[in-house]
Amino acid sequence: MAVGQADDRRLAPLRELERKALWLATWTIHNANHLRPSDGLKVGGHQASSASLATIMTALYFAALRPEDRVAVKPHASPVFHAIQYLFGNQTREKLEAFRAFGGAQSYPSRTKDVDDVDFSTGSVGLGAAATVFASLTQDYLRAKGLGTERPEGRMIALVGDAELDEGNIFECLLEGWKHGLRNCWWIIDYNRQSLDAVVREGLYERISALFEGLGWDVVVLKYGRLLEEAFAEPGGGKLRDWIDRCPNQLFSALSFQGGAAWRKRLLDEIGDQGAVTALIERRSDVELAALMTNLAGHDLPTLLEAFERIDHDRPVCFLAYTIKGYGLPLAGHKDNHSGLMTPAQMAAFRQSMGVREGREWDLFEGLSIPPDELQAFLAGVPFVAKGRRGYESGKLPVPARLEADVPVETSTQAAFGRLLDRLAKGDTALADRIVTTSPDVTVSTNLGPWVNRRGLFARESMADLFREERIASAQKWEFGPKGQHLELGIAEMNLFLALGALGLSHSLFGERLIPVGTLYDPFIARGLDALIYACYQDARFILAATPSGVTLAPEGGAHQSIATPLIGLAQDGLASFEPAYADELAAILAFAFDYVQRDGKSGVADWEREETGGSVYLRLSTRMLEQPQRAMTPEFAGEIVDGAYWWREPGPNCEVVIAYQGAVAKEAIEAVGLIAGDRRDVGLLAVTSADRLMAGWTAAHRARERGVAHATSLAERLLGRLPRHCAIVTVIDGHPATLGWLGSVCGHRVRALGVEHFGQTGTIADLYRHFGIDAQGLVRAAEGLAPGRPLRHLTALG
């Protein structure tokens, strides 16, 4: 039934629930500020933004949404979201009372920390909105494969602040959506014309409309509510409409804050003519005039419901909904309202206006006129929650115990990665069928070409490889189609990580598991770091292969050489970081990764290794060709590789020095051990495959012992515990030296950490390794300085 034909039996409970959602959200924020006044600054933003979106969210959650729809809620609207979920019974009073406190409802909606059915975590503005674009593409990918078709297609919906459109990733994702024929995506822009610090520029809505229309979106401008539309139909209403259309944003906000008397004076001064317009204004009291002038569409339930119900297609839609920040509260429209908070006196007056008795603030239906049993029945029939909790689970895909590929005697980890995926692509396994690869315009140069040639590129509609049809020789088969398993992206790394985040949540959002594998150049992780962190925060599951890495990419110069990425891998929660030197190590790690990204066990305490809960995996790979060792891969050996380190050369009982390396500098470490072994006793060589996992295990063992598990020990302690106390450790990595510098803290050994701390330059690998002191001679020199004794015979003088 269209809203225009709807009677009060439908609108009445919605209006009551709108009031209740606004009250509960406002009370939640006030209560949090009262209990924790030092947190007040950011809570103010919640208070104004929540009021701005209360009507829109009421129309969505209580009427327009269906169980298959997914919503990214504007960060500062979290109190309204929590309030609505409280009304549905998905949120608890205890967590609302503890809003922003430890264990309470989160400041911004969180998939992993909130209990109330959050679809997308939000917080860093712009990312939640962009996530809906890639979630929609993920849904299309699944359905093209015949997966999840037993359920209706859902709409991916974002509630977006107008100031969020300043974020660069917004424009990147919109363009990518256009390339892939985006469908089933709604963005509802809260056009309150206020950012944190200012009022937005005049005419912004025209630029927004043009942007979305140019990229294939339908744009629905929702400016006026029913009261204003009716007033425009009165004599003199046309002049009133013209005045509002010309009114500067700052003036409209200021008058909204000042109220009816200020509206009356300004309108009579500027358009009053002692005739029709004056009569239109004078027929209304100050209260009625203020209600009329602030009756924007974003605060008008019938207008919103009608707009949402009118959409009967799957094209992307941008609703540009005019609102007033802080609507319904004493701070509405004030330019400082983002950090503003209602005073106790204002809150008491607001409570009275809402009909809420003191001490009954948390009661579900307190202050509402419709009987509770009728409202409860209405809530039970809301389509969005008709099927209960909306998150899905998906079974684990079987993973082979070992991955194998034919590799040359001399190869790089990047090349080995391509060969391992190619071997998987040849097989007919459930794992291979659920792998989806993606890359920001570097598919071939990151060795995904063989996989793509066998598995194809994804598109909803088939597109032939015209180069192939024209018989032009090429190693690449660029055929697009629904069966393809590679999602080709433009060069924006933000989009890569947003895509991995959405693909890596397919099991939860759509009930079908995918194994996303993304590749990019290692130094450009930093370009998309915000989106990578966001994907991990959502607990998305994916494998990231970053290559080439470090100053080992010598001829490319400093702009393409990474320094800090090992530290990113070491520090980022939810991301297990590895840097193998050899193909057999990579094979063991990749087999582990395919299992690790599917783990979903629940741990009762902080599990820094995430052995039960799993996570995503980052592989830092290299193009450096190394001679491959010929050795047996036993389960025990594979376990040490996965846990982070193994002895390449066992230290003797009187070991004076150990060289510990990670990654492509293996050759220099091996050479250095050979050079010093004749002059230092029992020299050891430690191969570190994951400083991240090695340190996580060490930290976890400490925490276990602190909790009374006296026998707990870590791999790092078992490896280094055999060394005498006088032994010195020289660590080396083509990356920041702090990555391995902590090894001396495990058992109290002296450490000299070598690595790269400054931007590189062009040259050969030998040039750059020598320049940064990570060549064999640099290691020998560090060993002599750290473990003094007879002069090392193979140490050459510095030039």
Side-chain angles (χ1 to χ4, degrees), residues 218-242:
D218 287 6
V219 176
V220 179
V221 178
L222 302 172
K223 188 169 186 179
Y224 298 118
R226 292 296 176 90
L227 289 178
L228 276 171
E229 292 289 1
E230 291 169 0
F232 295 155
E234 297 178 22
K239 289 186 177 181
L240 177 64
R241 184 181 197 128
D242 290 342

Side-chain angles (χ1 to χ4, degrees), residues 124-147:
S124 185
V125 293
L127 295 179
T132 61
V133 169
F134 292 98
S136 180
L137 298 182
T138 299
Q139 180 177 240
D140 283 347
Y141 180 91
L142 290 168
R143 298 183 81 85
K145 304 290 188 293
L147 301 173

Side-chain angles (χ1 to χ4, degrees), residues 515-557:
I515 308 292
V517 177
T519 65
L520 83 165
Y521 294 168
D522 191 67
F524 301 143
I525 284 178
R527 287 184 179 177
L529 186 55
D530 197 11
L532 171 61
I533 294 169
Y534 172 66
C536 293
Y537 182 67
Q538 297 213 85
D539 198 24
R541 303 303 179 86
F542 54 87
I543 297 170
L544 174 67
T547 178
S549 60
V551 298
T552 302
L553 189 63
E556 289 291 322

Side-chain angles (χ1 to χ4, degrees), residues 295-306:
N295 178 232
L296 301 181
H299 304 304
D300 191 78
L301 270 173
T303 301
L304 291 168
L305 291 169
E306 186 173 10

Side-chain angles (χ1 to χ4, degrees), residues 36 146 175 215 230 319-320 419 445 534-535 597 656 658 751:
R36 294 173 297 282
L175 187 59
L215 291 171
E230 291 169 0
F319 297 93
L320 189 63
R419 287 176 177 269
S445 53
Y534 172 66
V597 297
E656 292 184 294
V658 164
V751 167

Side-chain angles (χ1 to χ4, degrees), residues 554-717:
E556 289 291 322
H560 281 186
Q561 296 167 1
S562 56
I563 299 172
T565 49
L567 298 181
I568 293 172
L570 191 67
Q572 181 55 52
D573 185 24
L575 189 70
S577 171
F578 296 88
E579 187 172 2
Y582 298 107
D584 60 352
E585 297 171 355
L586 176 60
I589 291 165
L590 196 55
F592 163 81
F594 284 131
D595 176 74
Y596 188 72
V597 297
Q598 299 185 72
R599 296 180 187 178
D600 58 1
K602 309 301 179 186
S603 178
V605 297
D607 176 12
W608 295 112
E609 290 181 288
R610 298 175 66 100
E611 291 305 298
E612 297 175 20
T613 58
S616 292
V617 172
Y618 160 36
L619 307 174
R620 189 175 190 247
L621 306 180
S622 175
T623 52
R624 191 180 190 194
M625 305 293 284
L626 294 178
E627 183 178 347
Q628 300 299 300
Q630 303 302 309
R631 51 193 177 181
M633 183 58 65
T634 64
E636 294 75 21
F637 184 31
E640 288 189 325
I641 289 171
V642 164
D643 287 342
Y646 63 89
W647 286 115
W648 178 275
R649 172 176 169 152
E650 292 270 355
N654 298 305
C655 181
E656 292 184 294
V657 64
V658 164
I659 304 292
Y661 73 89
Q662 179 170 292
V665 291
K667 181 179 179 181
E668 282 65 34
I670 293 169
E671 182 182 349
V673 167
L675 292 175
I676 65 177
D679 299 310
R680 294 293 182 272
R681 287 180 293 179
D682 295 345
V683 176
L685 178 61
L686 183 67
V688 179
T689 53
S690 174
D692 178 29
R693 294 267 299 170
L694 196 62
M695 187 174 190
W698 179 48
T699 305
H702 272 291
R703 292 176 64 85
R705 291 195 291 268
E706 290 159 4
R707 289 184 170 90
V709 185
H711 64 275
T713 185
S714 68
L715 176 61
E717 291 165 325

